[in-house]
């Protein structure tokens, strides 16, 4: 079980998980080890790649220590935190990456090399959680686009983009590749996309006042066999609660 929640001490959100249904832990990045030169707010990493995976506002926690807000990411092996710490060489740690406030967070499971992986988007960043570590994936070489809604469908991962007007999808069976041509404009800024769910043999997509059906088997722009169809709705209708559509007993509910 995984979810996105807040820490009581502050309002920023983070990814958490439980393996036994009762004890929850925060997921994060923990590659390598850390140390400091005496008591210092500058932390040195060994075997770390912090530039790609860490940002200001994330939380640094040494094993058994307190949460410490990251104030700068200087390099792959150096960060700065709010409060000074004294860490001996080889100290284990975790960095819990922040998930944007005030935005719906999209989560979806999608296999990578036959391993089930969780992807998370929040409109600003994109993450991959492999059950052990959380990695940023919205930069090179993966370059997953930032979005708000994730929908696995027909061996593709569909990412409804942060601008709320279109969707982009990965290469077939490969969420590490996001071809620029794999994109479809659906709506416009004045009528933002708000929800999407697989129903039957299609993805049903909601904007504030419209519905569409995206269906097909091969989503290859060079040889497309998919189609986007608008679904008729009553005039001036507003889907106020379409961010979390569900299929219940074979019926689409929103």
């Amino acid at each position: 079980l995984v979810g996105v929640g807040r820490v009581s001490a502050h309002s920023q959100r983070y990814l958490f998980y439980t393996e036994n249904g009762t004890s929850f832990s925060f997921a994060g990045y923990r590659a390598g080890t850390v140390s400091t030169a005496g008591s210092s707010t500058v932390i040195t990493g060994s075997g770390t790649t912090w530039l790609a995976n860490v940002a200001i506002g994330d939380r640094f926690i040494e094993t058994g220590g307190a949460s410490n807000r990251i104030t700068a990411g200087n390099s792959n092996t150096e960060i700065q935190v709010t409060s000074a710490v004294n860490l001996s060489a080889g100290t284990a740690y975790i960095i819990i990456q922040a998930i944007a406030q005030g935005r719906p967070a999209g989560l979806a499971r999608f296999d990578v090399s036959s391993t089930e992986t969780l992807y998370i988007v929040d409109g600003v960043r994109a993450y991959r959680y492999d059950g052990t570590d959380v990695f940023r994936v919205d930069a090179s070489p993966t370059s997953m686009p930032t979005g708000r809604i994730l929908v696995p469908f027909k061996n593709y991962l569909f990412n409804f983009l942060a601008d709320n007007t279109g969707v982009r999808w990965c290469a077939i069976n490969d969420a590490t590749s996001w071809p620029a041509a794999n994109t479809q404009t659906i709506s416009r800024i004045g009528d933002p996309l708000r929800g999407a769910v697989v129903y039957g043999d299609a993805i049903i997509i909601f904007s504030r006042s419209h519905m569409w059906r995206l269906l097909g088997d091969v989503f290859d722009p060079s040889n497309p066999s998919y189609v986007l169809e608008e679904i008729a709705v009553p005039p001036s209708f507003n889907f106020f609660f379409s961010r979390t559509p569900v299929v219940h007993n074979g019926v689409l509910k929103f």
Side-chain angles (χ1 to χ4, degrees):
L1 174 66
V2 296
V4 175
R6 287 183 168 87
V7 178
S8 59
H10 50 92
S11 60
Q12 186 64 60
R13 301 184 301 174
Y14 303 93
L15 182 71
F16 65 85
Y17 70 96
T18 180
E19 295 179 348
N20 58 18
T22 58
S23 178
F24 288 86
S25 301
F26 284 100
Y29 178 86
R30 66 185 81 223
T33 59
V34 294
S35 63
T36 59
S39 180
S40 176
T41 59
V42 176
I43 298 174
T44 300
S46 174
T48 55
T49 53
W50 285 336
L51 285 180
N53 292 289
V54 177
I56 294 172
D58 294 349
R59 310 295 295 193
F60 171 88
I61 304 175
E62 62 180 288
T63 298
S67 173
N68 209 337
R69 185 179 185 273
I70 294 174
T71 58
N74 300 327
S75 70
N76 275 328
T77 57
E78 184 178 286
I79 57 174
Q80 289 181 256
V81 293
T82 302
S83 301
V85 290
N86 193 336
L87 308 174
S88 59
T91 298
Y93 75 100
I94 182 172
I95 290 175
I96 307 172
Q97 295 101 326
I99 295 175
Q101 302 179 62
R103 304 169 184 267
L107 296 87
R109 293 177 297 175
F110 195 80
D111 284 357
V112 175
S113 301
S114 300
T115 300
E116 189 173 83
T117 300
L118 179 71
Y119 284 89
I120 308 102
V121 292
D122 63 5
V124 178
R125 308 178 191 174
Y127 301 95
R128 173 176 63 86
Y129 176 49
D130 64 5
T132 301
D133 291 306
V134 180
F135 301 92
R136 287 276 300 274
V137 291
D138 51 285
S140 179
T142 303
S143 297
M144 180 177 177
T146 56
R148 301 178 189 274
I149 305 166
L150 294 174
V151 179
F153 182 64
K154 298 293 181 72
N155 296 315
Y156 300 89
L157 183 59
F158 288 80
N159 188 348
F160 290 82
L161 301 175
D163 65 4
N164 292 317
T165 66
V167 64
R168 192 165 161 191
W169 56 94
C170 69
I172 189 166
N173 291 316
D174 187 3
T176 67
S177 175
W178 294 82
N182 288 14
T183 187
Q184 173 72 51
T185 299
I186 300 171
S187 190
R188 53 188 174 80
I189 295 294
D191 187 28
L193 300 179
R194 306 188 73 159
V197 64
V198 174
Y199 181 55
D201 201 39
I203 302 176
I204 305 301
I205 305 162
F206 298 86
S207 69
R208 183 176 294 162
S209 56
H210 293 83
M211 290 178 67
W212 292 267
R213 177 170 46 235
L214 181 63
L215 65 164
D217 292 311
V218 180
F219 290 82
D220 180 359
S222 64
N223 185 26
S225 64
Y226 61 91
V227 63
L228 178 69
E229 299 177 341
E230 187 167 354
I231 300 171
V233 298
S236 303
F237 194 82
N238 284 315
F239 294 102
F240 289 111
F241 302 103
S242 58
R243 284 198 174 100
T244 54
V246 296
V247 179
H248 179 235
N249 292 332
V251 178
L252 177 60
K253 299 181 179 182
F254 50 90

